[in-house]
Amino acid sequence: MVVKIFQMVDGTATIKEGRPRAARILRIIARVIGIIVAVFFLVMLIGNIESAITSQGFDGITAEWLFIIIPLIIAVGAFIYAWWNEFLGGILLLVGYLLLSFSPSVHSLFYKEEPQFYIGMFYFAAPFLVAGVLFIIASLLDRGKPT
């Protein structure tokens, strides 16, 4: 049996009938992207913590760690919340994306280093942006479905 996930809506169907299918596809894509990115960031964070503990010992959570941990927890928490409330979870994912993107720049200002703008973090955190936008679109498509 072949499952036709991306089957097109036939020409006689109304646009409203295709909305739930498009919302379902966008929701699946957003969840897959979110799972991959959340696992990647968590593994990277755990590896960084393990490396810091083995090389320097654990001195507690410093303010520097908070610039990494808090935006990541917000982004991953927003992704988890988006499974139940897609619209608000998508907005929180956008906020998490912005926090992750700007945290290195805020870190440089907090430690009175030369102000720097790290454009690479915008690309690095972009999957959270994509997942957030897809969740918002899926939520809006579901709101337009016929009753």
Side-chain angles (χ1 to χ4, degrees), residues 48-63:
N48 193 357
I49 291 170
E50 187 271 333
S51 174
I53 289 173
T54 57
S55 67
Q56 302 166 355
F58 185 69
D59 295 334
I61 295 177
T62 63

Side-chain angles (χ1 to χ4, degrees), residues 36-53:
I36 292 170
V37 172
V39 167
F40 172 75
F41 273 95
L42 289 175
V43 167
M44 189 177 67
L45 181 65
I46 291 169
N48 193 357
I49 291 170
E50 187 271 333
S51 174
I53 289 173

Side-chain angles (χ1 to χ4, degrees), residues 88-139:
L88 186 58
I91 290 173
L92 290 174
L93 272 169
L94 298 180
V95 170
Y97 162 75
L98 291 173
L99 286 174
L100 275 171
S101 299
F102 284 113
S103 68
S105 301
V106 173
H107 177 270
S108 69
L109 294 174
F110 184 75
Y111 282 98
K112 296 182 175 87
E113 296 174 359
E114 179 181 323
Q116 297 178 359
F117 183 73
Y118 297 94
I119 192 73
M121 280 304 289
F122 286 91
Y123 298 124
F124 194 63
F128 284 117
L129 172 70
V130 172
V133 169
L134 290 176
F135 274 127
I136 291 171
I137 293 171
S139 171

Side-chain angles (χ1 to χ4, degrees), residues 9-46:
V9 177
D10 67 10
T12 61
T14 64
I15 293 176
K16 288 185 178 181
E17 290 174 1
R19 284 184 177 173
R21 175 175 285 144
R24 190 174 37 234
I25 291 170
L26 291 177
R27 189 176 299 116
I28 290 170
I29 293 170
R31 288 179 178 175
V32 168
I33 289 171
I35 288 171
I36 292 170
V37 172
V39 167
F40 172 75
F41 273 95
L42 289 175
V43 167
M44 189 177 67
L45 181 65
I46 291 169

